[in-house]
Amino acid sequence: MAILEVRDLASGYGEVQILWGATLSMEKGQLTSLVGANGAGKTTLLKTVMGVVKPREGSVWFDGRNVSSLSAHKKAEIGLVLVPEGRQLFTDMTIEENLEMGAAPKRAKSKFNANLERVYVMFPRLKERRLQRAGTLSGGEQQMLAVARGLMSDPIVLMVDEMSLGLAPVLVLELFKILRQLKDEGLTLLLVEQNVQMALAVSDYAYVLSHGKVDLHGHSKDLVHDDHVRSAYLGM
């Protein structure tokens, strides 16, 4: 049974509809990427799954349960966590205070020390600068902190929106290695990513979103060789 399912999801903002019946399914322990052109609806899909945007039609199922009506807070409590586009850190707080905020869900409180040590091993730069204010970090360090804060919530499914946006290639490689490590440790991940080539390289399965609907999906290693994907997204 899929750990996360999106069934015929429609949503938008005010009178503007962005999603028009998007459907996807994720197996437990799988790293799934969601790619597509700017304006395709990728971020809106994540926000709707998370409960930040309310669905107009369709449903979201998590671990066999219809969670469509749950708030973002309640979804985080049951293990569905979003690392948002733009990081959205508490810039006046220290690294460690941001990580403490990530551990707000009840399910994460008892594992705080273990999860804190885990993210510090994963991101040693954060440990070195744990008393530094988040707003003084570089863009790459802020993205590391955003991912680490998501991990402090002890997620069952971690959704990451546009992780590589605006980052230097060496930092992008480092962050993608972390995602692959998390997947190998058994975490289920949904990645929205502008870098289609990297997204397909690290993921097991991928969905191509176009005009608010899933246009194409399949195993990532197969989509790399798909003529439409190569011409539209890989510049080949």
Side-chain angles (χ1 to χ4, degrees):
M1 184 172 62
I3 187 71
L4 179 65
E5 285 186 275
V6 174
R7 302 179 183 174
D8 301 315
L9 202 61
S11 73
Y13 309 94
E15 296 181 359
V16 180
Q17 187 162 334
I18 305 295
L19 296 180
W20 298 82
T23 295
L24 61 84
S25 178
M26 291 173 54
E27 299 299 321
K28 191 170 185 178
Q30 192 175 66
L31 199 171
T32 302
S33 58
L34 179 65
V35 300
N38 289 336
K42 305 184 298 296
T43 292
T44 301
L45 189 147
L46 290 193
K47 287 182 175 180
T48 308
V49 168
M50 195 64 211
V52 178
V53 175
K54 296 298 181 185
R56 297 177 179 180
E57 294 179 13
S59 57
V60 177
W61 294 74
F62 179 68
D63 201 16
R65 172 187 174 189
N66 188 338
V67 298
S68 307
S69 62
L70 292 187
S71 67
H73 170 74
K74 289 183 179 178
K75 285 176 180 172
E77 289 286 353
I78 62 174
L80 186 59
V81 175
L82 173 64
V83 177
E85 182 182 8
R87 299 147 197 163
Q88 298 183 23
L89 300 172
F90 299 99
T91 54
D92 289 331
M93 292 184 178
T94 66
I95 286 173
E96 199 143 293
E97 287 169 339
N98 271 273
L99 295 175
E100 289 171 1
M101 294 298 289
K106 291 178 183 177
R107 58 177 283 110
K109 291 185 185 300
S110 63
K111 300 178 182 178
F112 177 81
N113 289 332
N115 284 336
L116 185 63
E117 182 59 30
R118 179 191 185 201
V119 300
Y120 278 158
V121 169
M122 200 169 288
F123 300 104
R125 259 181 278 186
L126 298 183
K127 185 173 185 179
E128 292 168 6
R129 304 174 187 188
R130 62 187 181 277
L131 301 182
Q132 187 172 329
R133 285 192 299 113
T136 66
L137 300 174
S138 70
E141 290 164 344
Q142 288 190 14
Q143 188 62 68
M144 290 176 187
L145 179 55
V147 173
R149 185 180 61 181
L151 292 172
M152 289 299 296
S153 299
D154 198 42
I156 294 172
V157 173
L158 183 67
M159 302 184 292
V160 184
D161 192 5
E162 296 290 11
M163 184 178 67
S164 74
L165 192 63
L167 300 186
V170 65
L171 288 172
V172 172
L173 287 171
E174 188 174 344
L175 284 163
F176 271 98
K177 282 177 64 178
I178 292 293
L179 287 190
R180 195 67 201 184
Q181 177 186 335
L182 291 168
K183 186 265 176 186
D184 290 342
E185 292 175 359
L187 183 62
T188 306
L189 295 119
L190 177 58
L191 174 67
V192 162
E193 180 53 52
Q194 60 163 357
N195 189 329
V196 176
Q197 191 164 4
M198 286 293 293
L200 294 180
V202 300
S203 60
D204 303 300
Y205 204 86
Y207 289 82
V208 179
L209 201 65
S210 177
H211 304 293
K213 293 183 178 181
V214 172
D215 183 45
L216 191 67
H217 64 93
H219 293 286
S220 299
K221 65 180 187 298
D222 297 328
L223 291 185
V224 169
H225 303 292
D226 182 273
D227 289 341
H228 171 67
V229 173
R230 287 167 67 88
S231 63
Y233 304 107
L234 301 179
M236 297 177 181

